[in-house]
Amino acid sequence: MRKIVIIFLSFMLLMPSFGSFCVYTAFKLNQEEISKTICVQRKMLFNSCNGRCELQKSLKKYDDNEKRMHDNLKEKAEVVYIQNIIVTDFKIIPPTESRAKIFAPTDKKPVSVSNATFHPPSYLI
């Protein structure tokens, strides 16, 4: 069972590569019917086309479809891989020494002391 699944999946992956071959094979299998019913030159006495005009139309249609799908995939790939790179120019600034005192002097008495603690309003509890 596992081998059958592997063969089936491999065939499905390779199928797009053989698309024009499948179109040609389908044409060859139905060439007599196509030449009698669909061909543009079917009413001519000495018809040398034998349905090849329809084969050319089918191959062109298949190629156009493949090109459209390829363009769609390419467009999606471009959207996926867009990346904005921001270039910043960092400059080295030499450190400057601060001469201002950061802490308050400890030899003086404090100006005021607060013993109250913040309590949130009671309606939020």
Side-chain angles (χ1 to χ4, degrees):
M1 182 66 180
R2 184 183 261 179
K3 288 183 181 182
I4 294 172
V5 171
I6 291 172
I7 291 171
F8 176 74
L9 290 177
S10 299
F11 181 73
M12 292 304 290
L13 285 173
L14 294 174
M15 190 64 182
S17 302
F18 298 115
S20 58
F21 175 74
C22 292
V23 171
Y24 183 75
T25 305
F27 168 75
K28 278 298 185 183
L29 291 174
N30 300 322
Q31 185 173 9
E32 288 183 33
E33 185 179 333
I34 289 172
S35 65
K36 290 178 184 176
T37 58
I38 301 174
C39 183
V40 177
Q41 299 177 3
R42 67 180 176 266
K43 295 181 181 178
M44 297 177 71
L45 293 177
F46 299 106
N47 183 3
S48 62
C49 178
N50 292 330
R52 289 189 194 105
C53 58
E54 194 62 33
L55 173 65
Q56 294 298 327
K57 288 178 188 177
S58 298
L59 287 174
K60 185 172 181 351
K61 184 178 176 183
Y62 177 77
D63 287 339
D64 291 342
N65 190 18
E66 285 291 317
K67 184 181 274 187
R68 188 177 65 234
M69 289 183 69
H70 179 69
D71 290 343
N72 286 343
L73 288 175
K74 186 176 180 183
E75 181 178 309
K76 288 179 183 178
E78 287 175 358
V79 171
V80 171
Y81 292 114
I82 291 177
Q83 180 180 3
N84 291 334
I85 299 173
I86 300 172
V87 178
T88 56
D89 187 26
F90 293 107
K91 296 179 183 177
I92 298 175
I93 300 174
T96 57
E97 189 174 320
S98 176
R99 295 186 182 177
K101 293 183 180 180
I102 298 173
F103 300 106
T106 56
D107 59 344
K108 296 182 182 177
K109 293 182 181 179
V111 176
S112 67
V113 176
S114 174
N115 290 332
T117 306
F118 174 75
H119 294 287
S122 62
Y123 66 88
L124 293 177
I125 296 177

